[in-house]
Amino acid sequence: MADEKPTRGRPSKIDLLPEGIRDALHGMLRDKRHTQEQIREAINELIDQHELPDDMQLSRTGLNRYASRMEAIGSKIRASREMAEIWAAKLGTAPTSDVGKLLMEFVKTLAFETSMSLAEEEGTVEPKALGQLALVAQRIEAAQMVSHKREKEIRQAFAEEIAATTEKIVSQAGLSADKAADIKRQILGIV
């Protein structure tokens, strides 16, 4: 049997439906208030209203197959989002770097598991594999340094903005320029 390349395959009936009907189908599938039979009947009615050919009507098995595929995809997306939220909460609360932190932790974990797997193998580790692992470690460190620097710059900019606003408010409240400058230095962490 020759190596067969995967192909996109032919489009399904649902893929060929006008966008408005497809959108209605997707909305009903997400809604969960309707049975698949109710959805099929409603969509077939829309197909009739749009005067599409009879062979565009959805079958029970075709709709079930499509709904199952959409649910599987949706489930993976929901699981990924939940996992990202959990890890982001565990790794820190800085909104600018949640995803970056999550990805770095993921890559570090993979690199660690790979190195442990290589260490457990009999014989010597291939130099190419060792070099690639070292390169991954170097890139992770560099990415963490860039992320840390960016986070520090964001915090500094925020502190400066707060200090300027505070100085303005304090001056308007009638405190002396020295007292306002002292408060600003304290906010910026300048002793």
Side-chain angles (χ1 to χ4, degrees), residues 15 17 20 37 46 54 73 109 117 127 153 155 162 166 181 184:
D15 294 331
L17 289 173
E37 186 58 25
L46 284 173
D54 286 342
I73 291 168
T109 300
S117 175
E153 288 169 354
R155 287 182 183 179
I162 294 296
T166 303
K184 182 177 178 179

Side-chain angles (χ1 to χ4, degrees), residues 138-153:
Q138 180 185 12
R139 288 180 177 168
I140 290 171
E141 283 296 316
Q144 284 181 315
M145 291 300 289
V146 168
S147 178
H148 179 72
K149 181 181 176 188
R150 187 179 322 127
E151 203 170 306
K152 201 172 178 182
E153 288 169 354

Side-chain angles (χ1 to χ4, degrees), residues 8-44:
R8 272 185 52 206
R10 68 171 201 226
S12 71
K13 282 184 186 179
I14 294 171
D15 294 331
L16 298 173
L17 289 173
E19 189 174 342
I21 297 175
R22 248 190 354 260
D23 289 345
L25 171 63
H26 292 152
M28 291 176 83
L29 287 172
R30 280 191 307 269
D31 190 15
K32 306 284 189 199
R33 288 187 294 172
H34 308 285
T35 66
Q36 278 190 16
E37 186 58 25
Q38 291 170 329
I39 294 170
R40 188 181 72 82
E41 288 172 2
I43 296 303
N44 283 341

